[in-house]
Amino acid sequence: MAIRPIITAPDPRLRQVSKPVEKVDDALRTLMDDMLETMYDAPGIGLAAIQIGEPVRVIVMDLAKEDEEPQPRYFANPEILDPSEDLSVYEEGCLSVPEYYDEVERPARCRVKYLDYHGEPQILETEGLLATCIQHEMDHLEGVLFIDHLSRLKRDRVLRKLKKEQRLAAE
Ligand code: GNR
Ligand code: NI
């Protein structure tokens, strides 16, 4: 397994629409393993493949708390079904938008249809943080960041700050 660098905004690669995987094979499982290790190292609770520069529809996630057994989840070609009409608000963060957190409103529950680590089709009922996180990751597959759900003023302010920090770091 390998820890890979995480791409941060405003890198244009994060705006790509990721392509479906053809099949879940050993090469894809290696990518999933690397993504999980990268996510744990960061640390984060979810990661989309595009965040390490791979434009494929793959997500990993682990919502277990520090004192709990790890609970890694792998999603290939995920699709959201039946988003609930009722919404919930979470304070979100993103490994590709470092050190910024803000509230985003999303459907409180949804079903997710996907292929698991073994390529088996699955349907998962989600609510709470799991529903929020899967929707945050699905956005990445479409080239969307959580700051896109905020006002233009807030988004531009965050992006300007990140750009400036990257410029200073490169000097
Ligand atoms: O680590 C993460 N925490 C988080 C908190 C609230 C809502 C979504 C997330 S996902 C984020 C990791 C990440 O950037 N995934 O794309
Ligand atoms: Ni993110």
Side-chain angles (χ1 to χ4, degrees):
M1 295 218 284
I3 295 168
R4 311 238 322 232
I6 295 176
I7 296 171
T8 55
D11 191 310
R13 285 175 290 177
L14 291 169
R15 296 309 188 176
Q16 293 178 80
V17 177
S18 293
K19 293 253 170 350
V21 307
E22 276 179 33
K23 60 174 193 291
V24 179
D25 55 11
D26 285 346
L28 196 78
R29 278 185 282 271
T30 297
L31 174 65
M32 289 170 153
D33 293 344
D34 288 352
M35 287 171 62
L36 197 75
E37 193 178 3
T38 301
M39 184 194 81
Y40 285 145
D41 177 69
I45 59 173
L47 193 76
I50 192 60
Q51 293 179 274
I52 58 167
E54 302 285 349
V56 293
R57 301 184 83 84
V58 174
I59 290 166
V60 298
M61 207 177 290
D62 191 335
L63 303 187
K65 305 208 177 60
E66 258 181 64
D67 58 348
E68 293 172 354
E69 280 291 299
Q71 198 182 349
R73 298 173 188 270
Y74 308 85
F75 303 86
N77 295 346
E79 291 170 50
I80 300 262
L81 308 174
D82 314 321
S84 63
E85 290 200 9
D86 53 313
L87 307 174
S88 67
V89 176
Y90 263 93
E91 172 140 296
E92 297 195 16
C94 181
L95 295 171
S96 297
V97 186
E99 287 164 35
Y100 184 76
Y101 305 87
D102 212 333
E103 291 185 339
V104 178
E105 197 175 41
R106 302 181 186 272
R109 292 178 302 281
C110 62
R111 268 188 262 277
V112 194
K113 184 181 165 205
Y114 63 99
L115 302 177
D116 68 14
Y117 192 79
H118 307 286
E120 298 293 331
Q122 303 285 352
I123 291 186
L124 178 69
E125 307 262 353
T126 75
E127 61 175 8
L129 184 58
L130 179 56
T132 290
C133 193
I134 192 77
Q135 291 174 73
H136 172 115
E137 304 307 340
M138 290 297 301
D139 273 354
H140 278 300
L141 305 189
E142 299 300 323
V144 173
L145 301 172
F146 84 98
I147 52 173
D148 299 337
H149 297 283
L150 309 176
S151 69
R152 170 181 288 223
L153 179 70
K154 281 186 175 179
R155 178 169 60 254
D156 288 352
R157 206 158 53 198
V158 177
L159 289 172
R160 221 177 12 251
K161 182 161 167 279
L162 289 174
K163 221 183 256 178
K164 184 172 169 190
E165 283 168 1
Q166 283 165 29
R167 183 160 47 75
L168 291 173
E171 276 174 10

